[in-house]
């Protein structure tokens, strides 16, 4: 006969405290000293106690968790579909719990994140137990995140660590590392006195709305300065990918000395790949793209892309959902206020293998 599982009462009797005290300590609630809480958790572990989160969650009403991401349409589908894929995967895995994800879409336009946060605050703040969204540098976004946080609604952010006072945590890529990896890939096995032109394309940098792009570019530039000081760096940043495309087209047709191009964004990766194919420059210009999705994998397998620096976008949103779920359902806290997801490098040899294991 298997040994009976210990109960809260068993732990309480072993320590001479009430079962209520044990429950509060294990759930991270107030009213129990830090010293006693630590002793209770240690004793519970020694006795093999495990909280039955599923049973306890079924006893209460469904916990609604809101997800607010841009709609994955047109050129925005490459990045934002990956965000939606990661968070949806997590909620499928915990579907047996009494948790109800609520999806809110909004167009990728200035002020739209703030508009959807206002809608959530005005119509759903009394219903939701948590929120997952993207940090956007806009007054209305900041205002309603603060209002939601003031109501005790935990918030996890993805991508950019803004509003640290309002959020439970932020899950983001290690952007400087991504930029450094891209620069190393482009200059590896080249002479130390390499003199060439390298182009960078992507979204505008230098604003809080694009902090990931800023840190990415910082890592890229820092590596080149240290290891390839002879390289001339030229950027073609623009929020309109078609403007960046025309800039790249002009540079590639007028300057035969272009060694390589690095794209810091997913949609610019697709544009860059298609342009190089159109101009017949595959194999003549090295291309480093960002993020793994079907179109970037296809360009990698065809040889158009030399490599992909994958910032693991689905894993970012998956972890953001996991930390929010653990906090709401289990009373647990994330390991840090900012959780970094290290990037990986995909080449022709391992791209398909990584894709088969992706979300």
């Amino acid at each position: 006969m298997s040994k009976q599982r210990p109960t809260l009462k068993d732990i309480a009797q072993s320590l001479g405290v009430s079962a209520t005290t044990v429950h509060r300590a294990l759930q991270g609630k107030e009213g129990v000293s830090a010293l006693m809480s630590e002793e209770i958790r240690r004793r519970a572990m020694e006795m093999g106690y495990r909280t039955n989160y599923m049973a306890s969650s079924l006893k209460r009403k469904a916990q609604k968790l809101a997800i607010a991401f841009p709609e994955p349409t047109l050129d925005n589908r490459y990045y934002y579909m990956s965000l939606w894929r990661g968070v949806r995967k997590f909620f499928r895995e915990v579907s047996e719990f009494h948790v109800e994800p609520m999806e809110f879409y909004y167009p990728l336009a200035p002020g739209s994140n703030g508009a959807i946060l206002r809608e959530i605050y005005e119509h759903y703040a009394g219903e939701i137990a948590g929120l997952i969204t993207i940090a956007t540098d806009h007054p209305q976004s900041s205002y309603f995140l603060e209002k939601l946080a003031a109501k005790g609604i935990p918030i996890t952010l993805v991508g950019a660590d803004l509003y640290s006072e309002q959020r439970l945590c932020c899950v983001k890529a290690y952007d400087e590392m991504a930029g450094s990896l891209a620069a190393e890939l482009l200059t590896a096995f080249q002479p130390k006195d390499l003199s060439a032109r390298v182009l960078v394309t992507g979204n505008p940098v230098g604003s809080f709305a694009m902090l990931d792009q800023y840190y990415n570019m910082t890592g890229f530039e820092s590596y080149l300065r240290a290891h390839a000081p002879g390289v001339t760096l030229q950027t073609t940043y623009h929020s309109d990918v078609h403007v960046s495309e025309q800039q790249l087209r002009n540079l590639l047709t007028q300057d035969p000395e272009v060694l390589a191009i690095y794209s810091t964004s997913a949609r610019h990766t697709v544009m860059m790949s298609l342009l190089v194919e159109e101009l017949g420059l595959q194999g003549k210009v090295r291309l480093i793209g960002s993020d793994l999705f079907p179109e970037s994998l296809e360009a990698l397998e065809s040889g158009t892309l030399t490599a992909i620096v994958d910032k693991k976008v689905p894993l970012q949103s998956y972890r953001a959902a996991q930390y929010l779920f653990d906090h709401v359902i289990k009373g647990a806290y994330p390991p840090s206020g900012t959780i970094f997801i290290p990037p990986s490098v995909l080449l022709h040899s391992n791209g398909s293998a990584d894709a088969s294991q992706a979300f």
Side-chain angles (χ1 to χ4, degrees):
M1 180 180 296
S2 61
K3 183 179 180 181
Q4 185 176 358
R5 292 179 60 185
T7 64
L8 291 177
K9 186 177 180 180
D10 295 331
I11 300 170
Q13 288 179 343
S14 73
L15 292 171
V17 298
S18 69
T20 299
T21 298
V22 174
H23 172 74
R24 296 185 71 83
L26 295 179
Q27 294 295 322
K29 298 180 181 293
E30 297 179 354
V32 184
S33 70
L35 186 61
M36 177 55 70
S37 293
E38 179 61 30
E39 178 65 15
I40 289 172
R41 287 193 291 269
R42 184 184 62 78
R43 183 62 57 86
M45 185 178 297
E46 290 175 351
M47 296 176 67
Y49 177 81
R50 296 291 184 274
T51 303
N52 190 341
Y53 298 114
M54 187 184 300
S56 61
S57 69
L58 292 174
K59 293 178 182 178
R60 56 176 177 255
K61 67 178 183 179
Q63 300 292 296
K64 296 181 179 180
L65 301 180
I67 308 108
F69 291 154
E71 52 193 7
T73 58
L74 303 176
D75 290 335
N76 301 318
R77 69 185 184 274
Y78 310 115
Y79 178 82
Y80 293 108
M81 182 60 76
S82 296
L83 277 184
W84 281 110
R85 191 165 69 249
V87 78
R88 286 170 177 165
K89 174 180 171 62
F90 177 79
F91 282 113
R92 285 196 304 270
E93 292 178 357
V94 296
S95 59
E96 68 271 26
F97 289 85
H98 215 191
V99 175
E100 180 183 334
M102 300 176 66
E103 296 185 353
F104 294 87
Y105 296 86
Y106 58 91
L108 189 63
S112 56
N113 176 267
I116 201 69
L117 293 179
R118 176 178 179 175
E119 178 183 341
I120 292 171
Y121 175 77
E122 293 180 346
H123 300 287
Y124 301 97
E127 299 180 35
I128 62 173
L131 167 68
I132 308 166
T133 191
I134 295 173
T136 303
D137 185 38
H138 190 275
Q140 188 165 270
S141 295
S142 175
Y143 179 82
F144 284 105
L145 280 177
E146 183 176 347
K147 297 283 279 186
L148 288 163
K151 283 186 170 291
I153 297 172
I155 300 165
T156 57
L157 301 176
V158 183
D161 196 16
L162 300 175
Y163 316 124
S164 59
E165 295 180 356
Q166 285 95 353
R167 49 83 169 149
L168 173 70
C169 70
C170 173
V171 183
K172 66 186 300 293
Y174 202 143
D175 294 301
E176 287 191 63
M177 182 185 294
S180 295
L181 284 172
E184 184 171 359
L185 286 166
L186 290 178
T187 57
F189 310 113
Q190 295 291 332
K192 293 295 183 181
D193 59 349
L194 172 67
S195 177
R197 187 179 301 276
V198 170
L199 310 180
V200 180
T201 188
N203 296 310
V205 298
S207 69
F208 283 108
M210 293 293 178
L211 270 182
D212 59 332
Q213 302 283 313
Y214 172 77
Y215 290 123
N216 199 321
M217 187 63 179
T218 297
F220 189 80
E221 289 181 324
S222 296
Y223 186 92
L224 288 182
R225 281 198 303 269
H227 301 278
V231 167
T232 300
L233 189 62
Q234 187 163 349
T235 61
T236 60
Y237 274 109
H238 203 282
S239 56
D240 185 339
V241 71
H242 302 293
V243 174
S244 293
E245 177 184 12
Q246 188 57 52
Q247 293 173 340
L248 274 182
R249 183 185 298 275
N250 293 339
L251 289 168
L252 288 171
T253 54
Q254 297 172 10
D255 187 353
E257 301 303 317
V258 172
L259 170 70
I261 313 173
Y262 172 45
S263 170
T264 60
S265 84
R267 58 187 177 138
H268 285 76
T269 293
V270 176
M271 174 274 291
M272 171 183 71
S273 301
L274 292 175
L275 177 61
V276 166
E277 289 177 358
E278 176 193 334
L279 297 177
L281 295 175
Q282 302 102 308
K284 300 177 183 178
V285 178
R286 297 184 187 181
L287 301 184
I288 307 296
S290 288
D291 303 325
L292 177 64
F293 48 92
E295 290 82 356
S296 64
L297 178 62
E298 181 180 349
L300 182 66
E301 292 179 333
S302 70
T304 302
L305 282 178
T306 305
I308 296 171
V309 178
D310 183 18
K311 298 191 289 294
K312 303 176 183 175
V313 177
L315 181 58
Q316 292 180 45
S317 59
Y318 179 96
R319 293 295 184 215
Q322 182 180 42
Y323 290 128
L324 183 62
F325 173 89
D326 286 349
H327 182 71
V328 171
I329 301 301
K330 304 178 182 180
Y333 284 86
S336 174
T338 305
I339 294 93
F340 291 98
I341 304 296
S344 61
V345 174
L346 305 182
L347 301 171
H348 188 273
S349 300
N350 69 334
S352 297
D354 275 46
S356 66
Q357 301 173 20
F359 285 78

